[in-house]
Amino acid sequence: MIRSFRAFPAAALSLFVLLAGCGAPPATEPKPAQGAAPAASAPVQGGTFTYALAGSPSGLDPNVVPGAADYRVMRSLYDSLVVQLPDKSIKPWLAEEWTVSPDGRTYTFKLRKDVTFHDGTPFNAAAVKYNFDRIVNPATKSRFAITLIGPYESSEVIDDYTVKVNLKSPYSAFLSSLGQAFLGIVSPAAAEKYKDQLVKNPVGTGPFKFVSWTENAAITLERNPAYQWAPALAENKGAPYLEKLVFKIIPEEATRIGSVQSAQVSAAETVPPQNLISLKSDPNVQLLQAEATGIPYTLMLNQDHAPWNELDARKAVQLAIDFDAIVKTLYLGTYPRAWSPLTPSVAGYNKELEGAVKPDLDKANALLDGLGWVRGADGIREKNGKKLTIHYVDGSPNREKRNDIAAMIQQQLKKAGIAVEVEITSDTSTALMVKGTNDLAGVSNVSGDPDILRSFFHTNAIPNANKWGHNHTHKSDPQLDAWLEEGLKEQDPAKREEVYKKVQKYVIDHAYGFPVYVFPYTVAAGKNVSGFKFDSLGYPLFYDVSLKGS
């Protein structure tokens, strides 16, 4: 869907293309992926495509690492059993077909017989079993794949190219989760060889092979000439057109954007709002954009600490913050406001939440008055000798103006008599899991299925010093647990969506989390780039890319 740059309403947000100086042609159906750069008359073979990342990946072992920057590199290295298309349908990839038992607990996959890993070892049923068993092995220390694999119980090798996966209970999001790169299939031989250093020595079956990694500088991949098993998202069904794919790490925004304008890189990610507007008129640059689907940037309020275990205190914070003003001021109309803990394109998104909560400073003050918090001489409220203070933690110092969000919230909550202490740190593990002293914590996550809510609001997702988790509300809520487990098992799509709509409304009504913005992942690319696409989650795809004049 093509939208005016300033006018994409949240409810209608979808993958789309922005072209410098003019509207893109209407989408045609069917199409393998939306958000694609215009195709050249004929793809050009060869060349090096350089892609500027805003941050350095933490590692390239999909069974272990959880980050968005990791995913953007891993997708070119690892294939999945299935692929999810933008219309949410599931299509074959490394699995040619599959059957599901009537009770929804057993999936039997028939695998391709012509696939090899980059190290020359064969892809087969034993490799699939090895991967899944490795993910659930505590020694692997999986941080996100362990969540995606859900109620996995075991795998059985039926024959060389047939594998049966057994689940402890029905898991409606299983196929969608299998399509993510975090459940991409790694080479068992490489995993055994490199152990925990597979993060720096990745070996998959993908269209590109790992070459080298220079810390905080660049990751280099090269063409996999044997590649013949691209998913339905791709137009090219053979080896990539590009000879090399280089990810350059350029955190500084101006340098990153300047690099694509001066053609020092082929494309750059995460274009800041001020550059989005100016680049529209740059004749040498094209802008491409996709919604990062899943959990929008959301502030989670830790209910372990009084007074945030009281609904009126949480509602006071919710009403004292003017999120509309924050989003409009910082993103200049280029980022949509988020209203739900799900982004609009995820199945089950609750549109009724749009506009449901409006800032009301008077009501916020009244709620805090009612709880006995009295303003001191400095304007900050006090009770029993303790000042009303929020410890605000965010782990993304240079990402999407999140520092500025914290600063604006600090100013706004002061008007309600709440002091805000901001801690921006890359060491969120210590801040959120070991210390756990956070009140507000900013999070986001990419997923194609509403089951992602389970990773943020279920009791099992509460983090502690020994366990990774995203439920930074620290709230064990039997009602939410029941709905999230019901959604996990429900096989009827319509009934399942209704379950998740109830979850979203409950989270907002009880002020567990405060959605801020939906991230429009935006790429600036040179006009010589064609075939650049996004997957259904909004991550970049490179195997259809070619460079004119290479």
Side-chain angles (χ1 to χ4, degrees):
M1 179 177 294
I2 310 305
R3 290 282 170 188
S4 163
F5 190 64
R6 288 180 175 274
F8 51 88
L13 187 70
S14 62
L15 302 175
F16 54 92
V17 182
L18 297 172
L19 298 177
C22 63
T28 55
E29 297 293 339
K31 57 190 304 183
Q34 300 179 57
S41 55
V44 177
Q45 294 283 347
T48 297
F49 184 86
T50 51
Y51 190 70
L53 291 172
S56 181
S58 62
L60 298 175
D61 182 343
N63 296 166
V64 176
V65 298
D70 310 328
Y71 197 113
R72 286 169 189 140
V73 179
M74 289 192 305
R75 186 72 287 175
S76 294
L77 292 165
Y78 298 103
D79 296 327
S80 299
L81 290 186
V82 299
V83 61
Q84 185 169 35
L85 302 186
D87 66 1
K88 309 303 180 191
S89 63
I90 305 293
K91 300 296 182 183
W93 196 348
L94 293 182
E96 291 184 316
E97 58 182 276
W98 56 89
T99 57
V100 185
S101 65
D103 65 2
R105 294 176 57 185
T106 301
Y107 288 69
T108 302
F109 295 94
K110 294 283 188 180
L111 308 177
R112 292 185 66 116
K113 300 176 180 177
D114 58 347
V115 178
T116 56
F117 290 101
H118 301 152
D119 58 6
T121 57
F123 163 78
N124 51 28
V128 175
K129 173 178 168 54
Y130 178 91
N131 272 255
F132 292 171
D133 288 348
R134 178 174 183 256
I135 290 169
V136 298
N137 184 345
T140 304
K141 298 180 180 178
S142 175
R143 294 166 65 182
F144 189 53
I146 185 69
T147 299
L148 289 176
I149 205 168
Y152 174 82
E153 184 173 56
S154 64
S155 292
E156 302 171 47
V157 175
I158 305 302
D159 59 40
D160 283 354
Y161 296 101
T162 306
V163 61
K164 180 185 291 185
V165 178
N166 303 306
L167 305 177
K168 297 172 185 172
S169 58
Y171 178 25
S172 295
F174 187 48
L175 289 175
S176 173
S177 296
L178 286 179
Q180 292 201 32
F182 292 121
L183 293 185
I185 305 298
V186 308
S187 160
E192 288 297 308
K193 177 180 179 180
Y194 295 113
K195 306 293 185 185
D196 62 356
Q197 287 307 299
L198 190 68
V199 291
K200 293 294 175 69
N201 299 277
V203 180
T205 63
F208 292 91
K209 301 189 291 185
F210 177 76
V211 175
S212 64
W213 186 338
T214 304
E215 285 294 334
N216 299 315
I219 297 171
T220 298
L221 313 184
E222 67 180 8
R223 180 174 183 260
N224 177 6
Y227 197 72
Q228 299 289 331
W229 43 87
L233 278 170
E235 295 176 27
N236 174 24
K237 298 305 178 187
Y241 304 124
L242 299 169
E243 191 61 35
K244 285 188 177 180
L245 173 58
V246 179
F247 295 90
K248 289 194 173 183
I249 317 302
I250 308 180
E252 206 282 317
E253 290 179 345
T255 304
R256 191 166 67 251
I257 303 307
S259 294
V260 71
Q261 288 182 297
S262 62
Q264 295 179 67
V265 300
S266 308
E269 69 166 7
T270 316
V271 181
Q274 66 274 16
N275 295 102
L276 276 173
I277 295 172
S278 63
L279 285 175
K280 286 181 69 180
S281 58
D282 187 328
N284 299 314
V285 174
Q286 55 181 321
L287 294 173
L288 303 109
Q289 193 174 80
E291 173 191 329
T293 68
I295 303 289
Y297 183 64
T298 301
L299 302 177
M300 307 277 274
L301 192 49
N302 186 347
Q303 299 177 42
D304 262 356
H305 308 147
W308 315 120
N309 55 344
E310 296 183 85
L311 176 58
D312 281 355
R314 298 195 303 275
K315 293 293 289 185
V317 175
Q318 186 183 48
L319 294 169
I321 300 174
D322 188 342
F323 290 106
D324 267 340
I326 291 172
V327 173
K328 289 176 182 175
T329 300
L330 296 181
Y331 305 111
L332 310 174
T334 63
Y335 283 25
R337 160 80 192 275
W339 296 98
S340 158
L342 285 180
T343 63
S345 64
V346 179
Y349 171 71
N350 192 336
K351 184 177 172 56
E352 293 180 358
L353 293 175
E354 295 179 7
V357 177
K358 300 182 186 304
D360 189 333
L361 185 58
D362 291 340
K363 188 173 181 180
N365 277 314
L367 288 171
L368 294 174
D369 290 342
L371 291 172
W373 289 94
V374 180
R375 287 185 187 269
D378 58 357
I380 301 302
R381 295 175 182 271
E382 299 176 358
K383 184 178 179 181
N384 300 326
K386 181 181 178 181
K387 288 186 178 294
L388 185 55
T389 304
I390 280 181
H391 180 202
Y392 184 139
V393 175
D394 196 282
S396 307
N398 296 312
R399 185 175 175 183
E400 301 152 25
K401 298 185 180 296
R402 293 180 179 182
N403 299 29
D404 298 324
I405 291 175
M408 290 189 71
I409 287 177
Q410 193 174 42
Q411 295 170 1
Q412 292 181 355
L413 288 183
K414 188 175 182 179
K415 296 176 181 175
I418 304 173
V420 178
E421 298 171 348
V422 179
E423 178 184 3
I424 304 293
T425 174
S426 58
D427 185 12
T428 53
S429 293
T430 298
L432 301 179
M433 294 171 58
V434 178
K435 294 180 179 177
T437 56
N438 57 291
D439 295 312
L440 277 181
V443 295
S444 61
N445 196 271
V446 174
S447 175
D449 191 277
D451 178 56
I452 188 63
L453 290 166
R454 184 169 51 88
S455 298
F456 285 78
F457 297 104
H458 193 281
T459 297
N460 291 342
I462 295 175
N464 58 45
N466 300 309
K467 188 185 78 172
W468 182 264
H470 290 302
N471 185 354
H472 298 300
T473 73
H474 286 251
K475 177 67 175 180
S476 177
D477 190 317
Q479 179 62 80
L480 277 180
D481 285 355
W483 280 334
L484 291 167
E485 289 163 16
E486 182 182 350
L488 186 71
K489 299 173 184 176
E490 178 59 60
Q491 302 292 300
D492 183 302
K495 291 181 179 177
R496 193 163 180 256
E497 289 190 8
E498 291 305 312
V499 170
Y500 288 115
K501 286 179 180 177
K502 288 189 290 188
V503 171
Q504 295 163 70
K505 187 175 188 306
Y506 189 94
V507 166
I508 299 302
D509 287 350
H510 291 77
Y512 281 14
F514 311 134
V516 185
Y517 64 84
V518 178
F519 178 52
Y521 183 67
T522 309
V523 172
K527 283 295 184 66
N528 64 330
V529 174
S530 66
F532 186 98
K533 297 176 180 174
F534 300 99
D535 70 8
S536 61
L537 302 180
Y539 285 117
L541 298 171
F542 301 99
Y543 42 64
D544 274 341
V545 170
S546 73
L547 295 169
K548 296 176 185 175
S550 299

XYZ file of all heavy atoms in Angstrom, residues 72-127:
456
model
N 19.140 -8.987 11.152
C 19.331 -8.375 9.827
C 20.495 -9.015 9.082
O 20.504 -9.047 7.855
C 19.526 -6.865 9.990
C 18.213 -6.177 10.324
C 18.363 -4.738 10.751
N 17.064 -4.260 11.236
C 16.885 -3.480 12.272
N 17.934 -3.041 12.957
N 15.680 -3.116 12.646
N 21.481 -9.533 9.805
C 22.590 -10.235 9.158
C 22.253 -11.719 9.010
O 22.485 -12.320 7.959
C 23.886 -10.049 9.978
C 25.036 -10.802 9.308
C 24.224 -8.570 10.111
N 21.673 -12.318 10.032
C 21.435 -13.766 10.035
C 20.494 -14.223 8.925
O 20.619 -15.338 8.425
C 20.855 -14.193 11.394
C 21.855 -14.143 12.531
S 21.260 -14.977 14.023
C 19.707 -14.143 14.308
N 19.543 -13.373 8.538
C 18.566 -13.807 7.544
C 19.225 -14.222 6.235
O 18.695 -15.078 5.500
C 17.535 -12.706 7.312
C 16.383 -13.066 6.399
C 15.362 -14.051 6.984
N 15.801 -15.434 7.105
C 15.069 -16.391 7.672
N 13.890 -16.116 8.170
N 15.523 -17.632 7.750
N 20.369 -13.650 5.921
C 21.074 -14.011 4.686
C 21.914 -15.269 4.854
O 22.354 -15.853 3.862
C 21.988 -12.851 4.251
O 21.217 -11.724 3.890
N 22.145 -15.688 6.095
C 22.995 -16.846 6.369
C 22.197 -18.122 6.613
O 22.679 -19.219 6.327
C 23.857 -16.573 7.610
C 24.936 -15.509 7.470
C 25.435 -15.084 8.844
C 26.086 -16.030 6.618
N 21.003 -17.948 7.176
C 20.231 -19.118 7.608
C 18.871 -19.156 6.926
O 18.184 -18.133 6.830
C 20.006 -19.066 9.126
C 21.275 -19.106 9.941
C 21.786 -17.938 10.520
C 21.961 -20.293 10.142
C 22.950 -17.965 11.278
C 23.125 -20.333 10.907
C 23.605 -19.168 11.475
O 24.753 -19.196 12.224
N 18.482 -20.345 6.510
C 17.134 -20.568 5.997
C 16.275 -21.197 7.089
O 16.785 -21.748 8.063
C 17.175 -21.497 4.784
C 17.924 -20.889 3.616
O 17.863 -19.651 3.455
O 18.589 -21.645 2.877
N 14.965 -21.163 6.877
C 14.022 -21.716 7.832
C 13.225 -22.848 7.186
O 13.232 -23.005 5.965
C 13.066 -20.618 8.319
O 13.785 -19.589 8.976
N 12.518 -23.589 7.993
C 11.706 -24.679 7.444
C 10.577 -24.138 6.586
O 10.212 -24.730 5.567
C 11.130 -25.531 8.578
C 12.111 -26.398 9.376
C 11.345 -27.285 10.351
C 12.966 -27.252 8.456
N 9.997 -23.003 7.011
C 8.871 -22.413 6.280
C 9.092 -20.909 6.181
O 9.969 -20.345 6.845
C 7.528 -22.683 6.990
C 7.264 -24.179 7.098
C 7.501 -22.030 8.360
N 8.295 -20.266 5.355
C 8.352 -18.813 5.243
C 6.942 -18.255 5.403
O 5.975 -18.860 4.921
C 8.948 -18.382 3.887
C 8.091 -18.879 2.718
C 9.122 -16.875 3.816
N 6.825 -17.124 6.099
C 5.543 -16.453 6.223
C 5.516 -15.271 5.268
O 6.418 -14.424 5.287
C 5.301 -15.969 7.654
C 3.914 -15.371 7.849
C 3.583 -15.135 9.317
O 4.449 -14.797 10.110
N 2.326 -15.313 9.682
N 4.501 -15.216 4.432
C 4.374 -14.124 3.465
C 3.672 -12.938 4.116
O 3.057 -13.060 5.180
C 3.594 -14.605 2.247
C 4.191 -15.807 1.505
C 3.404 -16.079 0.230
C 5.663 -15.599 1.184
N 3.742 -11.759 3.490
C 3.098 -10.580 4.084
C 1.601 -10.744 4.336
O 1.045 -10.083 5.200
C 3.369 -9.489 3.044
C 4.655 -9.908 2.407
C 4.572 -11.406 2.336
N 0.944 -11.650 3.584
C -0.492 -11.880 3.836
C -0.719 -12.865 4.976
O -1.846 -13.306 5.198
C -1.192 -12.357 2.562
C -0.708 -13.738 2.109
O 0.152 -14.338 2.789
O -1.194 -14.214 1.061
N 0.356 -13.210 5.696
C 0.352 -14.101 6.867
C 0.266 -15.581 6.503
O 0.267 -16.430 7.397
C -0.790 -13.765 7.852
C -0.859 -12.296 8.258
C 0.418 -11.798 8.869
C 0.321 -10.341 9.264
N 1.640 -9.771 9.613
N 0.155 -15.905 5.226
C 0.119 -17.314 4.852
C 1.504 -17.940 5.039
O 2.527 -17.248 4.975
C -0.343 -17.469 3.400
O 0.582 -16.844 2.521
N 1.528 -19.243 5.271
C 2.777 -19.978 5.488
C 3.057 -20.828 4.247
O 2.177 -21.583 3.794
C 2.682 -20.882 6.723
C 2.282 -20.063 7.962
C 4.003 -21.598 6.961
C 3.303 -19.072 8.432
N 4.264 -20.724 3.713
C 4.635 -21.454 2.507
C 5.896 -22.292 2.772
O 6.645 -22.025 3.704
C 4.896 -20.479 1.351
C 3.712 -19.612 0.977
C 2.551 -20.438 0.440
C 1.377 -19.559 0.025
N 0.217 -20.351 -0.428
N 6.157 -23.285 1.911
C 7.337 -24.133 2.098
C 8.650 -23.363 1.920
O 8.704 -22.363 1.208
C 7.188 -25.181 0.991
C 5.745 -25.175 0.641
C 5.299 -23.749 0.818
N 9.691 -23.890 2.567
C 11.061 -23.388 2.336
C 11.981 -24.605 2.401
O 12.044 -25.364 1.435
C 11.424 -22.319 3.367
C 12.627 -21.480 3.008
C 13.538 -21.724 2.008
C 13.037 -20.258 3.626
N 14.478 -20.736 1.986
C 14.199 -19.830 2.959
C 12.548 -19.509 4.674
C 14.882 -18.672 3.324
C 13.221 -18.355 5.047
C 14.369 -17.937 4.376
N 12.656 -24.842 3.508
C 13.451 -26.065 3.598
C 12.549 -27.274 3.788
O 12.952 -28.405 3.519
C 14.451 -25.970 4.756
C 15.562 -24.924 4.588
C 16.503 -24.962 5.783
C 16.329 -25.112 3.289
N 11.351 -27.062 4.285
C 10.342 -28.115 4.340
C 9.444 -27.980 3.113
O 8.917 -26.904 2.841
C 9.514 -28.007 5.611
N 9.298 -29.062 2.362
C 8.477 -29.022 1.153
C 6.988 -29.114 1.469
O 6.158 -28.559 0.753
C 8.867 -30.167 0.218
C 10.253 -29.996 -0.401
C 10.581 -31.080 -1.387
O 10.316 -32.266 -1.083
O 11.114 -30.754 -2.472
N 6.673 -29.828 2.521
C 5.277 -29.972 2.935
C 5.247 -30.433 4.385
O 6.276 -30.846 4.945
C 4.552 -30.988 2.050
C 5.191 -32.361 2.041
C 4.465 -33.317 1.105
O 3.461 -33.907 1.551
O 4.916 -33.465 -0.049
N 4.056 -30.375 5.004
C 3.928 -30.814 6.395
C 2.480 -31.168 6.683
O 1.564 -30.723 5.972
C 4.414 -29.723 7.370
C 3.723 -28.402 7.187
C 2.568 -27.971 7.783
C 4.140 -27.346 6.307
N 2.253 -26.706 7.344
C 3.202 -26.301 6.446
C 5.218 -27.185 5.431
C 3.301 -25.109 5.721
C 5.327 -26.003 4.707
C 4.373 -24.984 4.867
N 2.324 -31.970 7.710
C 0.991 -32.314 8.196
C 0.947 -32.050 9.702
O 1.977 -32.100 10.385
C 0.663 -33.795 7.938
O 1.669 -34.615 8.555
C 0.620 -34.088 6.449
N -0.260 -31.757 10.185
C -0.460 -31.470 11.601
C -1.477 -32.479 12.133
O -2.518 -32.728 11.501
C -0.985 -30.039 11.813
C -1.063 -29.720 13.310
C -0.098 -29.027 11.096
N -1.179 -33.075 13.265
C -2.098 -34.057 13.850
C -3.389 -33.369 14.285
O -3.400 -32.161 14.565
C -1.439 -34.741 15.049
O -1.205 -33.793 16.075
N -4.490 -34.108 14.356
C -5.781 -33.508 14.742
C -5.746 -32.796 16.087
O -6.472 -31.806 16.287
C -6.729 -34.720 14.787
C -6.136 -35.688 13.817
C -4.655 -35.536 13.961
N -4.901 -33.248 17.013
C -4.849 -32.585 18.327
C -3.876 -31.398 18.347
O -3.701 -30.760 19.379
C -4.480 -33.593 19.422
C -3.067 -34.158 19.267
O -2.358 -33.747 18.325
O -2.672 -35.000 20.095
N -3.265 -31.093 17.192
C -2.398 -29.921 17.092
C -1.070 -30.061 17.826
O -0.366 -29.063 18.014
N -0.691 -31.278 18.198
C 0.521 -31.456 19.004
C 1.667 -32.091 18.227
O 2.777 -32.182 18.763
C 0.197 -32.294 20.241
C -0.753 -31.591 21.197
C -1.124 -32.483 22.369
N 0.058 -32.935 23.090
C 0.019 -33.807 24.106
N -1.141 -34.291 24.494
N 1.126 -34.169 24.712
N 1.418 -32.550 17.008
C 2.480 -33.199 16.236
C 2.533 -32.635 14.820
O 1.510 -32.587 14.140
C 2.241 -34.724 16.168
O 2.213 -35.245 17.493
C 3.361 -35.400 15.387
N 3.725 -32.197 14.429
C 3.954 -31.683 13.078
C 4.960 -32.605 12.392
O 6.043 -32.861 12.933
C 4.522 -30.262 13.128
C 3.530 -29.203 13.559
C 3.043 -29.160 14.871
C 3.084 -28.240 12.651
C 2.138 -28.193 15.264
C 2.171 -27.259 13.040
C 1.705 -27.239 14.345
O 0.807 -26.275 14.741
N 4.601 -33.076 11.199
C 5.512 -33.935 10.444
C 5.930 -33.213 9.169
O 5.080 -32.839 8.352
C 4.832 -35.275 10.099
O 4.420 -35.911 11.319
C 5.801 -36.184 9.360
N 7.236 -32.988 9.045
C 7.765 -32.206 7.924
C 8.498 -33.120 6.937
O 9.333 -33.937 7.331
C 8.754 -31.156 8.441
C 8.131 -30.114 9.327
C 8.144 -30.264 10.705
C 7.530 -28.983 8.787
C 7.561 -29.310 11.526
C 6.951 -28.026 9.602
C 6.965 -28.186 10.977
N 8.166 -32.955 5.648
C 8.930 -33.572 4.572
C 9.929 -32.525 4.062
O 9.530 -31.425 3.664
C 8.000 -33.997 3.424
C 7.016 -35.107 3.777
C 7.708 -36.460 3.798
C 6.692 -37.588 3.956
N 7.336 -38.920 3.984
N 11.198 -32.855 4.081
C 12.247 -31.871 3.805
C 12.781 -31.971 2.373
O 12.726 -33.039 1.750
C 13.412 -32.093 4.780
C 13.042 -32.149 6.265
C 14.286 -32.454 7.095
C 12.400 -30.839 6.724
N 13.344 -30.851 1.904
C 14.037 -30.860 0.613
C 15.243 -31.798 0.701
O 15.874 -31.922 1.753
C 14.510 -29.446 0.256
C 13.401 -28.468 -0.047
C 13.992 -27.132 -0.497
N 14.667 -27.283 -1.769
C 14.286 -26.671 -2.906
N 13.253 -25.845 -2.897
N 14.950 -26.862 -4.017
N 15.568 -32.411 -0.445
C 16.679 -33.366 -0.455
C 17.915 -32.814 -1.155
O 18.906 -33.526 -1.335
C 16.227 -34.663 -1.152
C 15.051 -35.342 -0.458
C 14.567 -36.569 -1.232
C 13.382 -37.227 -0.522
N 12.846 -38.386 -1.285
N 17.857 -31.539 -1.567
C 18.951 -30.988 -2.383
C 19.692 -29.864 -1.677
O 20.327 -29.029 -2.322
C 18.367 -30.468 -3.699
C 17.291 -29.400 -3.483
O 16.822 -29.246 -2.336
O 16.918 -28.717 -4.459
N 19.614 -29.809 -0.351
C 20.165 -28.668 0.393
C 21.419 -29.087 1.150
O 21.455 -30.149 1.783
C 19.120 -28.120 1.386
C 19.708 -26.957 2.186
C 17.861 -27.677 0.643
N 22.434 -28.249 1.094
C 23.657 -28.484 1.874
C 24.012 -27.225 2.650
O 23.705 -26.102 2.235
C 24.846 -28.860 0.979
O 25.023 -27.825 -0.006
C 24.625 -30.184 0.297
N 24.637 -27.433 3.791
C 25.144 -26.312 4.571
C 26.401 -25.748 3.908
O 27.016 -26.391 3.053
C 25.455 -26.766 6.006
C 24.236 -27.089 6.818
C 23.847 -28.418 7.022
C 23.465 -26.083 7.376
C 22.723 -28.733 7.772
C 22.335 -26.381 8.130
C 21.960 -27.705 8.327
N 26.757 -24.556 4.348
C 27.934 -23.898 3.774
C 29.209 -24.704 4.003
O 30.189 -24.538 3.276
C 28.103 -22.501 4.377
C 26.919 -21.603 4.150
N 26.580 -20.582 4.995
C 25.986 -21.599 3.165
C 25.500 -19.971 4.545
N 25.113 -20.569 3.441
N 29.227 -25.556 5.014
C 30.425 -26.367 5.273
C 30.410 -27.682 4.503
O 31.261 -28.546 4.713
C 30.580 -26.632 6.781
C 29.356 -27.337 7.381
O 28.444 -27.719 6.610
O 29.305 -27.482 8.617
N 29.420 -27.851 3.632
C 29.369 -29.037 2.778
C 28.607 -30.202 3.369
O 28.392 -31.214 2.683
N 28.172 -30.096 4.623
C 27.411 -31.185 5.237
C 25.958 -31.111 4.794
O 25.448 -30.031 4.461
C 27.489 -31.120 6.778
O 27.010 -29.834 7.212
C 28.926 -31.305 7.234
N 25.260 -32.257 4.787
C 23.890 -32.267 4.258
C 22.872 -31.735 5.261
O 22.981 -31.955 6.472
C 23.641 -33.748 3.973
C 24.534 -34.471 4.944
C 25.754 -33.621 5.096
N 21.864 -31.053 4.719
C 20.693 -30.690 5.520
C 19.729 -31.866 5.473
O 19.413 -32.368 4.383
C 20.030 -29.433 4.947
C 18.623 -29.235 5.447
C 18.400 -28.719 6.712
C 17.526 -29.588 4.658
C 17.103 -28.551 7.195
C 16.236 -29.420 5.120
C 16.022 -28.901 6.396
N 19.267 -32.314 6.629
C 18.363 -33.463 6.670
C 17.567 -33.452 7.972
O 17.633 -32.489 8.756
C 19.154 -34.768 6.525
C 20.315 -34.840 7.514
O 20.235 -34.236 8.597
N 21.373 -35.548 7.154
N 16.816 -34.518 8.184
C 15.956 -34.596 9.366
C 16.781 -34.581 10.653
O 16.367 -33.989 11.659
C 15.103 -35.861 9.299
N 17.922 -35.210 10.628
C 18.778 -35.221 11.819
C 19.235 -33.809 12.171
O 19.365 -33.460 13.361
C 19.981 -36.132 11.583
N 19.466 -32.979 11.147
C 19.889 -31.593 11.407
C 18.761 -30.797 12.065
O 18.999 -29.982 12.965
C 20.319 -30.924 10.098
